[in-house]
Amino acid sequence: MLHSTWRSVFRRGAMAAAFGVFAAGLTVVAPLASNAAAAGTLQQVTDFGSNPGNLAMYEYAPSNLPANAPLVVALHGCTQSASDYHTHSGWQKFADEWGFAVVYPQTSAANNSLSCFSWFDSTKDTRGSGEAASVKQMVDTAVTQYGSDRSRIFVTGLSAGGGMTADLLADYPDVFAGGSVDSGIPAQCATTQTAASGCQYSNQNLTPKQWGDKARNSYPGYSGPWPRVAIWQGSSDTTVAPVNGTELRDQWTDVWGIGQTASSTQNLTGGTTESIYNDPAGKPAVALFSVSGMAHGLAVNPGSGADQCGTTGTYYLNSICSSYYTAKFWGLDGSGGQGGTGSLPAPSGLTVTGTTDTGASLSWNSVSGAASYNVYRDGTKVGSATGTTYTDTGLSAGTTYGYTVAAVDSSGAVGASSVSVTATTTGSAPQCYTDNNYNQVAAGRAHQSGGYTYADGSDQNMGLYNVAVTHTLKETSPGYFVIADSGC
């Protein structure tokens, strides 16, 4: 049964005020019995925890997903489904190209008559409660299943899903490294359903600090780091007033402790203006994408171009591929998100020209307008070059690394990243052994003296000679071991 506020909205002929605007054709996925998704398909996971929010979990991963890959959580709008969002949004394309998994939470009419995520209900959208807690359980399940990198977990959502995205970023800044609110609402704008329409239609006349406090109060005592937030808003949206984009900008720049004056702006395709707000270190922290003339929906741009994605439909609007620019802002393309979204194309012809036991050499084709090139190893920038060659050094023997390259223009804007290539160094990969000190000595990897344990070869002190102290030892050469507790 709809609340009276929602019924009055419908009588005005504006179903959109309750985020019930979505009438997209739904592609329903039948529930599956399996608890893990098959690679390369969208499937349901039926057992992911206590599920206090009564949500369904769907997920997608490319068949060649590497370990320690990023994870994206994508929330649909009202009356939509996980399958519908997966089909239209374009996230599958970039999951395949750049190597990450996607989790699609799905709500239903059992939770809300219009199948909206409950961004306006403080019993469902707060840390440890309801739908928010269910999404957190999905993240934990996916991380265990895929071996995802916990430092690269992101969340995005459309409309009501965007409102829930903002809440999740405020609830779990320790979980999400970044987010994207598409045609959505600031975190904790409304705490009851009756207040929802006011947030959608009206300027709330709050200061940036007041908006920031709403986010900070969602997880009292948390001191950072905060998620990087992209905001997408159409200038002709009559369902979620464009002022919401400004309010989201105010909220998250205040959370970051930065001003509301853009560090840089540029014009993108589809009548889109990108405004970047840098953190004190000069790295983009908040991005506001304003799409001129776009109504309520998710910005897509069908086509085969590198910066195109998605398919059009009801509330999937042809203007610009928001998923592409969001993924680049987060650094999912391997750029690390260091320089925004420059316009230079991806370098072609990236090739591994040689390897040693400690290095890998690369070459690529030049890009017109490039002042330099950034080189990324496994998603992290490792160097730059003014020419079209680079040698990466200090690598481990017998180990495979992934590389991408991106062109940088004279203003410092980083363009699209190249296709990834892999390089495997020569020699044998070092072996690592994790055990207690007693067993390390018994295995011949360490020795004891005076009640203490020392690694063979390096003679590093491993602590007391007993079964209570555990270390990881790396054998860097035959019979030579070093402590590698931080990772092998």
Side-chain angles (χ1 to χ4, degrees):
M1 192 71 161
L2 296 178
H3 284 209
S4 59
T5 300
W6 287 34
R7 289 197 300 269
S8 66
V9 168
F10 295 160
R11 284 196 295 269
R12 294 203 309 267
M15 186 178 182
F19 281 134
V21 65
F22 293 93
L26 306 183
T27 305
V28 179
V29 176
L32 301 176
S34 64
N35 287 331
T41 62
L42 178 69
Q43 294 193 18
Q44 186 175 12
V45 176
T46 57
D47 183 8
F48 57 88
S50 60
N51 191 18
N54 190 36
L55 301 180
M57 176 182 177
Y58 291 82
E59 62 183 5
Y60 174 83
S63 57
N64 59 344
L65 182 72
N68 210 40
L71 176 69
V72 172
V73 179
L75 289 83
H76 63 78
C78 297
T79 76
Q80 292 182 315
S81 69
S83 177
D84 179 57
Y85 204 63
H86 176 69
T87 298
H88 288 285
S89 65
W91 280 109
Q92 178 181 347
K93 173 180 177 176
F94 302 112
D96 290 340
E97 286 187 3
W98 293 332
F100 57 86
V102 187
V103 167
Y104 297 91
Q106 179 175 285
T107 187
S108 67
N111 288 354
N112 176 280
S113 60
L114 296 171
S115 297
C116 305
F117 287 102
S118 300
W119 59 272
F120 42 75
D121 188 336
S122 59
T123 68
K124 299 179 180 179
D125 67 353
T126 53
R127 184 180 177 94
S129 300
E131 296 174 12
S134 290
V135 173
K136 172 61 164 58
Q137 291 176 350
M138 294 181 196
V139 168
D140 291 339
T141 297
V143 167
T144 298
Q145 177 184 342
Y146 294 121
S148 305
D149 181 354
R150 282 198 177 272
S151 69
R152 293 187 293 164
I153 299 174
F154 305 89
V155 59
T156 183
L158 168 63
S159 196
M164 181 59 80
T165 292
D167 290 338
L168 288 166
L169 291 170
D171 295 341
Y172 296 104
D174 53 333
V175 172
F176 297 107
S180 178
V181 182
D182 295 78
S183 303
I185 303 292
Q188 299 303 325
C189 181
T191 57
T192 64
Q193 193 172 33
T194 56
S197 61
C199 289
Q200 291 174 235
Y201 285 128
S202 306
N203 188 333
Q204 300 301 293
N205 297 310
L206 299 181
T207 66
K209 183 180 184 303
Q210 289 172 317
W211 280 120
D213 285 344
K214 285 180 176 290
R216 285 184 286 267
N217 291 340
S218 297
Y219 186 14
Y222 181 75
S223 58
W226 293 100
R228 307 174 66 205
V229 181
I231 302 152
W232 289 85
Q233 181 63 52
S235 68
S236 298
D237 193 336
T238 58
T239 300
V240 174
V243 70
N244 282 279
T246 303
E247 291 171 337
L248 278 158
R249 184 275 315 269
D250 289 352
Q251 181 171 66
W252 289 101
T253 52
D254 185 78
V255 166
W256 274 85
I258 56 181
Q260 286 74 54
T261 300
S263 304
S264 64
T265 60
Q266 68 170 323
N267 294 323
L268 304 176
T269 188
T272 305
T273 301
E274 174 202 65
S275 301
I276 296 290
Y277 302 82
N278 289 341
D279 67 12
K283 182 178 180 179
V286 177
L288 174 59
F289 298 87
S290 179
V291 187
S292 178
M294 191 178 83
H296 188 68
L298 183 73
V300 298
N301 186 16
S304 59
D307 61 349
Q308 292 182 290
C309 74
T311 56
T312 57
T314 307
Y315 304 101
Y316 296 96
L317 307 178
N318 189 359
S319 55
I320 182 174
C321 173
S322 58
S323 298
Y324 170 80
Y325 287 96
T326 293
K328 279 180 63 64
F329 176 70
W330 291 339
L332 295 182
D333 62 336
S335 71
Q338 294 288 333
T341 50
S343 59
L344 291 179
S348 62
L350 179 61
T351 303
V352 178
T353 57
T355 58
T356 65
D357 58 348
T358 60
S361 297
L362 309 167
S363 69
W364 56 90
N365 297 327
S366 63
V367 172
S368 178
S372 63
Y373 300 88
N374 286 348
V375 180
Y376 304 91
R377 182 208 312 140
D378 295 334
T380 300
K381 181 182 174 182
V382 293
S384 61
T386 55
T388 58
T389 62
Y390 182 83
T391 298
D392 190 21
T393 59
L395 307 179
S396 298
T399 304
T400 299
Y401 299 93
Y403 289 94
T404 57
V405 177
V408 183
D409 66 22
S410 58
S411 70
V414 181
S417 287
S418 68
V419 173
S420 178
V421 298
T422 59
T424 302
T425 52
T426 59
S428 300
Q431 296 294 307
C432 285
Y433 308 88
T434 300
D435 213 330
N436 64 64
N437 282 354
Y438 180 85
N439 287 339
Q440 296 280 27
V441 171
R445 297 185 287 267
H447 57 278
Q448 66 91 15
S449 177
Y452 286 88
T453 307
Y454 300 88
D456 284 354
S458 68
D459 284 330
Q460 290 177 303
N461 191 331
M462 299 166 58
L464 293 174
Y465 175 53
N466 59 31
V467 297
V469 179
T470 296
H471 285 291
T472 297
L473 293 180
K474 178 193 289 188
E475 188 174 18
T476 58
S477 61
Y480 193 97
F481 297 86
V482 297
I483 298 174
D485 292 338
S486 61
C488 182

